[in-house]
Amino acid sequence: TLNFINLGDKTLKLECEEMFLPDYLKFEVLPETVEPGAEAKMVIIYEPTAQQPRNEVPLILKGLGTTPAKSTIKIRFE
């Protein structure tokens, strides 16, 4: 879980690019819509499966109004 504050001046609906998200990871934001100045939680859930997770998985965020290179979080498994 990562806490964040919407520092922008517009309502934020943060999502992730699910095309690149492996089946063993789930992504959600609580609440789904974040008003300017409000705090929210980004939740990344690991659901173990028979598939071995890669060492590093990119999580590309959508809704920030920036390029994927500037809105990517790396999830590392050790």
Side-chain angles (χ1 to χ4, degrees):
T1 302
L2 301 168
N3 293 334
F4 70 92
I5 297 173
N6 179 1
L7 297 176
D9 57 359
K10 297 179 182 173
T11 300
L12 177 65
K13 182 169 173 108
L14 193 59
E15 300 174 308
C16 80
E17 184 56 69
E18 293 194 14
M19 179 187 322
F20 302 108
L21 192 66
D23 291 340
Y24 52 82
L25 290 180
K26 302 295 178 209
F27 174 86
E28 59 186 33
V29 175
L30 303 171
E32 286 184 15
T33 304
V34 187
E35 298 297 325
E39 187 174 328
K41 294 181 182 209
M42 185 183 328
V43 181
I44 302 163
I45 301 167
Y46 170 62
E47 296 179 351
T49 65
Q51 181 182 1
Q52 179 68 25
R54 298 185 308 237
N55 289 339
E56 188 173 281
V57 177
L59 185 97
I60 302 169
L61 300 175
K62 300 189 307 186
L64 295 173
T66 187
T67 65
K70 292 183 178 180
S71 60
T72 299
I73 296 172
K74 293 181 182 179
I75 309 297
R76 291 192 176 131
F77 294 90
E78 296 182 357

